[in-house]
Amino acid sequence: MVWDRQTKMEYEWKPDEQGLQQILQLLKESQSPDTTIQRTVQQKLEQLNQYPDFNNYLIFVLTKLKSEDEPTRSLSGLILKNNVKAHFQNFPNGVTDFIKSECLNNIGDSSPLIRATVGILITTIASKGELQNWPDLLPKLCSLLDSEDYNTCEGAFGALQKICEDSAEILDSDVLDRPLNIMIPKFLQFFKHSSPKIRSHAVACVNQFIISRTQALMLHIDSFIENLFALAADEEPEVRKNVCRALVMLLEVRMDRLLPHMHNIVEYMLQRTQDQDENVALEACEFWLTLAEQPICKDVLVRHLPKLIPVLVNGMKYSDIDIILLKGDVEEDETIPDSEQDIRPRFHRSRTVAQQHDEDGIEEEDDDDDEIDDDDTISDWNLRKCSAAALDVLANVYRDELLPHILPLLKELLFHHEWVVKESGILVLGAIAEGCMQGMIPYLPELIPHLIQCLSDKKALVRSITCWTLSRYAHWVVSQPPDTYLKPLMTELLKRILDSNKRVQEAACSAFATLEEEACTELVPYLAYILDTLVFAFSKYQHKNLLILYDAIGTLADSVGHHLNKPEYIQMLMPPLIQKWNMLKDEDKDLFPLLECLSSVATALQSGFLPYCEPVYQRCVNLVQKTLAQAMLNNAQPDQYEAPDKDFMIVALDLLSGLAEGLGGNIEQLVARSNILTLMYQCMQDKMPEVRQSSFALLGDLTKACFQHVKPCIADFMPILGTNLNPEFISVCNNATWAIGEISIQMGIEMQPYIPMVLHQLVEIINRPNTPKTLLENTAITIGRLGYVCPQEVAPMLQQFIRPWCTSLRNIRDNEEKDSAFRGICTMISVNPSGVIQDFIFFCDAVASWINPKDDLRDMFCKILHGFKNQVGDENWRRFSDQFPLPLKERLAAFYGV
């Protein structure tokens, strides 16, 4: 029976006095602000983990050593929690049992800090898969809820709330025999408890199960909602906050159950959005955002708008605390360097190849650049932002019907003598810009000049919000004669780019980038003046705003294109960019925005970039090579080598694309002297979709620029392109499709062996419902190009793609790609005329979309149209063409004489 004594001894474990003193000493030292001392403590703690009963000491200090001060005891528990996270599977059984029983015995400690620490420890053990191996945990905690002792009840509830947050999924599964069937009814009983803390825990526990539509909660949904209503006016803010949060989630999940009470809920949320406690108000304000996404919003809210709009508008003022946090009284801070935590991580948007449309430049499918983001240094999400976002969404729901409720308020706000009020009015004006644009047009001739004046307000926060609001109306400004608004707006915005306040610089730079996108070549007459300002900002800006300045320069290059290619402009722009380029190390993330910017500049400057291209090209190839090498090491020995940041490689591939597009044939020698094609072969097979996406874009651009170097690799590349025609990854698929089209034009008849690798996938994609426009257009162009070079192979499938082919290409501009695709379709029709008969009206419509085709292409169209007309005879042709809409009829008659 020796074994039995062993277990008994484990439970009667007593600390060794000397060991205990040593650990207490460590706990005291670790609270020192000195980082060197902290580092030594970390090392000692790691060494102590070698001893099996080290964790017994830690739990002993937490639960038994009442003579110590609470922060030290709590710290001991938190170190134990970290050990559980890192080494729990190596704890000896006795130690684990000792820790578990000590936790349950002390969950009701008289100190709230110790209770909370024990709760964190319990949920950490539970989330290490121990809910299965600790069967008495949940029953025990649930029974402790009924304790007469407040501390025990509160401690157990605190632990349960943490478990519900961390382990919601496993609680609602068969693994544990569905404990929620007991727990949820139990929690509901406590909604009426006399202690506000307990009521708050109870609601928070149940809230964890709303979004997942947990069965156990859905059974009690009516009693849950009834209990929530009973708590509506609770005096404890934490309870009100949890009630609001519950109602917001129920909107998404059980609208049917809320509908009968909707009028009262809206009234209640109106009160709560004005709650004295900002956390409650913020939770309540989320309600309007969520409701606006529901189809019933328009009907439900319409009668409440007269009350709701003023509440939201009022919430858009800066609070006193915001102004302190934003240093609203500091007007000039441009000389103060940025602290590193101010700089947000940025995400590189990889290159996507898209078609030009008649309406405007390239269609972006995710245009999310103008979200309400005007003060990102305060706690990211606050009542002001939430109110503004809600107003923005509601403006999109009600459109101009919202204006009668807003305009009277705006008049008061925009000309108010207090700057905080005026500032909120300018934010309101920006928030409704998208939804109420039509209705706002009559007021803009008066408002835009007023806003341009506000750009020189003496308060920095007024100047910065005005930049944003003006950018939301940029589209309208550009549609007017340039001297009326564009010129004065641009002049003032450029002054703000050189403002002495960093927040204003940032807002002005972002707004200017939006203006550039809208104005495009309208800016050409002012280029010297614009570049002058942007280049001067280089010498003035601190770290964070430099990154935004790169974006403004890149956008300028995208917007004015080859107009930038003038010696005097290049002389202004390139030296500061190259100087930054030389300063940055290969592992510096600031390279991302600089590389993106250079990519746009290289594309715009074309041959003007030649003097700079060699070092830029070399460095990009090096970045790709380094990243691939690092990734291989990490794959082979993950514990020895960390994974690289692949963004370096993606951005470098994109800049190489920009060089190839800008320099064209001039890049040939650089490609000849490098191993870029070998590197691309690896990138095209990378696990990360964005890497593949960028490598296919580069493949297409190199195919256009210097096919002689790509051709030897085609046999290796084509099968990879074929496997990437997977619309699950839209952008990868899009770029692979485009590259195949470019390759086929270069290969001609030699493309024949590769057609079976790609044709079926392309035909499948063009017939898929809900395929994004850009992908449809590129797919159609590539099918047309394959048919142009290998009509015998592609024409037999004509009937399977002719209709979607015609509808997806009727909206794109006349250009080289459209030209080659239509030549392909005409060639295929002459090989397989019966393939087009059923859908001939679609072909007619697509032909009519050409403004001015080249003469020989026009002849091909003529031949097909007249051939069809002659074949069916005049009478049938007349009946057939009577179905045409009038403009189509007239165009075909005028252009092709049919």
Side-chain angles (χ1 to χ4, degrees), residues 830-843:
S830 60
V831 171
N832 175 17
S834 63
V836 74
I837 295 219
Q838 287 176 327
D839 299 304
F840 199 70
I841 185 167
F842 290 93
F843 176 72

PDB file of all heavy atoms in Angstrom, residues 830-843:
ATOM      1  N   SER A 830     -16.896  31.382 -88.067  1.00  0.00           N
ATOM      2  CA  SER A 830     -16.745  30.904 -89.454  1.00  0.00           C
ATOM      3  C   SER A 830     -16.405  29.410 -89.474  1.00  0.00           C
ATOM      4  O   SER A 830     -16.725  28.715 -90.434  1.00  0.00           O
ATOM      5  CB  SER A 830     -15.685  31.731 -90.192  1.00  0.00           C
ATOM      6  OG  SER A 830     -14.450  31.604 -89.533  1.00  0.00           O
ATOM      7  N   VAL A 831     -15.797  28.884 -88.414  1.00  0.00           N
ATOM      8  CA  VAL A 831     -15.515  27.438 -88.354  1.00  0.00           C
ATOM      9  C   VAL A 831     -16.781  26.662 -87.948  1.00  0.00           C
ATOM     10  O   VAL A 831     -17.039  25.569 -88.431  1.00  0.00           O
ATOM     11  CB  VAL A 831     -14.376  27.161 -87.332  1.00  0.00           C
ATOM     12  CG1 VAL A 831     -14.213  25.663 -87.088  1.00  0.00           C
ATOM     13  CG2 VAL A 831     -13.066  27.762 -87.820  1.00  0.00           C
ATOM     14  N   ASN A 832     -17.579  27.245 -87.036  1.00  0.00           N
ATOM     15  CA  ASN A 832     -18.740  26.526 -86.504  1.00  0.00           C
ATOM     16  C   ASN A 832     -19.954  27.457 -86.449  1.00  0.00           C
ATOM     17  O   ASN A 832     -20.411  27.835 -85.382  1.00  0.00           O
ATOM     18  CB  ASN A 832     -18.396  25.990 -85.100  1.00  0.00           C
ATOM     19  CG  ASN A 832     -19.586  25.331 -84.416  1.00  0.00           C
ATOM     20  OD1 ASN A 832     -20.573  24.978 -85.066  1.00  0.00           O
ATOM     21  ND2 ASN A 832     -19.511  25.194 -83.093  1.00  0.00           N
ATOM     22  N   PRO A 833     -20.521  27.821 -87.651  1.00  0.00           N
ATOM     23  CA  PRO A 833     -21.608  28.810 -87.652  1.00  0.00           C
ATOM     24  C   PRO A 833     -22.833  28.355 -86.873  1.00  0.00           C
ATOM     25  O   PRO A 833     -23.522  29.168 -86.266  1.00  0.00           O
ATOM     26  CB  PRO A 833     -21.925  28.998 -89.131  1.00  0.00           C
ATOM     27  CG  PRO A 833     -21.195  27.924 -89.862  1.00  0.00           C
ATOM     28  CD  PRO A 833     -20.137  27.371 -88.983  1.00  0.00           C
ATOM     29  N   SER A 834     -23.090  27.039 -86.819  1.00  0.00           N
ATOM     30  CA  SER A 834     -24.312  26.599 -86.127  1.00  0.00           C
ATOM     31  C   SER A 834     -24.213  26.839 -84.622  1.00  0.00           C
ATOM     32  O   SER A 834     -25.232  26.882 -83.925  1.00  0.00           O
ATOM     33  CB  SER A 834     -24.552  25.108 -86.400  1.00  0.00           C
ATOM     34  OG  SER A 834     -23.472  24.376 -85.854  1.00  0.00           O
ATOM     35  N   GLY A 835     -22.991  27.022 -84.121  1.00  0.00           N
ATOM     36  CA  GLY A 835     -22.818  27.236 -82.676  1.00  0.00           C
ATOM     37  C   GLY A 835     -23.394  28.550 -82.184  1.00  0.00           C
ATOM     38  O   GLY A 835     -23.615  28.735 -80.992  1.00  0.00           O
ATOM     39  N   VAL A 836     -23.650  29.499 -83.110  1.00  0.00           N
ATOM     40  CA  VAL A 836     -24.055  30.828 -82.676  1.00  0.00           C
ATOM     41  C   VAL A 836     -25.528  31.114 -82.978  1.00  0.00           C
ATOM     42  O   VAL A 836     -26.097  32.065 -82.480  1.00  0.00           O
ATOM     43  CB  VAL A 836     -23.137  31.897 -83.321  1.00  0.00           C
ATOM     44  CG1 VAL A 836     -23.472  32.074 -84.785  1.00  0.00           C
ATOM     45  CG2 VAL A 836     -23.218  33.229 -82.594  1.00  0.00           C
ATOM     46  N   ILE A 837     -26.155  30.225 -83.788  1.00  0.00           N
ATOM     47  CA  ILE A 837     -27.494  30.545 -84.308  1.00  0.00           C
ATOM     48  C   ILE A 837     -28.497  30.885 -83.214  1.00  0.00           C
ATOM     49  O   ILE A 837     -29.150  31.918 -83.247  1.00  0.00           O
ATOM     50  CB  ILE A 837     -27.999  29.379 -85.188  1.00  0.00           C
ATOM     51  CG1 ILE A 837     -27.071  29.292 -86.384  1.00  0.00           C
ATOM     52  CG2 ILE A 837     -29.493  29.565 -85.547  1.00  0.00           C
ATOM     53  CD1 ILE A 837     -27.629  28.991 -87.689  1.00  0.00           C
ATOM     54  N   GLN A 838     -28.572  30.012 -82.165  1.00  0.00           N
ATOM     55  CA  GLN A 838     -29.594  30.231 -81.137  1.00  0.00           C
ATOM     56  C   GLN A 838     -29.416  31.560 -80.409  1.00  0.00           C
ATOM     57  O   GLN A 838     -30.363  32.127 -79.893  1.00  0.00           O
ATOM     58  CB  GLN A 838     -29.531  29.113 -80.101  1.00  0.00           C
ATOM     59  CG  GLN A 838     -30.079  27.804 -80.623  1.00  0.00           C
ATOM     60  CD  GLN A 838     -29.898  26.708 -79.581  1.00  0.00           C
ATOM     61  OE1 GLN A 838     -28.926  26.710 -78.834  1.00  0.00           O
ATOM     62  NE2 GLN A 838     -30.830  25.776 -79.542  1.00  0.00           N
ATOM     63  N   ASP A 839     -28.170  32.004 -80.284  1.00  0.00           N
ATOM     64  CA  ASP A 839     -27.907  33.210 -79.485  1.00  0.00           C
ATOM     65  C   ASP A 839     -27.447  34.375 -80.352  1.00  0.00           C
ATOM     66  O   ASP A 839     -26.723  35.253 -79.876  1.00  0.00           O
ATOM     67  CB  ASP A 839     -26.830  32.897 -78.431  1.00  0.00           C
ATOM     68  CG  ASP A 839     -27.276  31.794 -77.486  1.00  0.00           C
ATOM     69  OD1 ASP A 839     -28.341  31.958 -76.864  1.00  0.00           O
ATOM     70  OD2 ASP A 839     -26.575  30.765 -77.377  1.00  0.00           O
ATOM     71  N   PHE A 840     -27.914  34.390 -81.606  1.00  0.00           N
ATOM     72  CA  PHE A 840     -27.366  35.390 -82.540  1.00  0.00           C
ATOM     73  C   PHE A 840     -27.668  36.819 -82.102  1.00  0.00           C
ATOM     74  O   PHE A 840     -26.875  37.735 -82.321  1.00  0.00           O
ATOM     75  CB  PHE A 840     -27.894  35.135 -83.963  1.00  0.00           C
ATOM     76  CG  PHE A 840     -27.050  35.803 -85.012  1.00  0.00           C
ATOM     77  CD1 PHE A 840     -25.765  35.327 -85.271  1.00  0.00           C
ATOM     78  CD2 PHE A 840     -27.498  36.928 -85.713  1.00  0.00           C
ATOM     79  CE1 PHE A 840     -24.955  35.951 -86.228  1.00  0.00           C
ATOM     80  CE2 PHE A 840     -26.696  37.551 -86.654  1.00  0.00           C
ATOM     81  CZ  PHE A 840     -25.416  37.065 -86.920  1.00  0.00           C
ATOM     82  N   ILE A 841     -28.825  37.015 -81.425  1.00  0.00           N
ATOM     83  CA  ILE A 841     -29.173  38.382 -80.991  1.00  0.00           C
ATOM     84  C   ILE A 841     -28.117  38.922 -80.017  1.00  0.00           C
ATOM     85  O   ILE A 841     -27.792  40.108 -80.008  1.00  0.00           O
ATOM     86  CB  ILE A 841     -30.594  38.422 -80.373  1.00  0.00           C
ATOM     87  CG1 ILE A 841     -30.975  39.869 -80.037  1.00  0.00           C
ATOM     88  CG2 ILE A 841     -30.687  37.548 -79.129  1.00  0.00           C
ATOM     89  CD1 ILE A 841     -32.462  40.032 -79.730  1.00  0.00           C
ATOM     90  N   PHE A 842     -27.540  38.023 -79.187  1.00  0.00           N
ATOM     91  CA  PHE A 842     -26.504  38.450 -78.238  1.00  0.00           C
ATOM     92  C   PHE A 842     -25.236  38.875 -78.974  1.00  0.00           C
ATOM     93  O   PHE A 842     -24.562  39.829 -78.592  1.00  0.00           O
ATOM     94  CB  PHE A 842     -26.182  37.326 -77.241  1.00  0.00           C
ATOM     95  CG  PHE A 842     -27.297  37.060 -76.281  1.00  0.00           C
ATOM     96  CD1 PHE A 842     -28.258  36.086 -76.547  1.00  0.00           C
ATOM     97  CD2 PHE A 842     -27.418  37.805 -75.109  1.00  0.00           C
ATOM     98  CE1 PHE A 842     -29.300  35.849 -75.664  1.00  0.00           C
ATOM     99  CE2 PHE A 842     -28.460  37.571 -74.217  1.00  0.00           C
ATOM    100  CZ  PHE A 842     -29.403  36.596 -74.506  1.00  0.00           C
ATOM    101  N   PHE A 843     -24.956  38.134 -80.051  1.00  0.00           N
ATOM    102  CA  PHE A 843     -23.769  38.496 -80.852  1.00  0.00           C
ATOM    103  C   PHE A 843     -23.974  39.878 -81.482  1.00  0.00           C
ATOM    104  O   PHE A 843     -23.085  40.727 -81.470  1.00  0.00           O
ATOM    105  CB  PHE A 843     -23.514  37.427 -81.928  1.00  0.00           C
ATOM    106  CG  PHE A 843     -22.372  37.781 -82.844  1.00  0.00           C
ATOM    107  CD1 PHE A 843     -21.056  37.734 -82.386  1.00  0.00           C
ATOM    108  CD2 PHE A 843     -22.607  38.204 -84.158  1.00  0.00           C
ATOM    109  CE1 PHE A 843     -19.997  38.088 -83.227  1.00  0.00           C
ATOM    110  CE2 PHE A 843     -21.560  38.548 -84.991  1.00  0.00           C
ATOM    111  CZ  PHE A 843     -20.247  38.490 -84.533  1.00  0.00           C
TER     112      PHE A 843
END
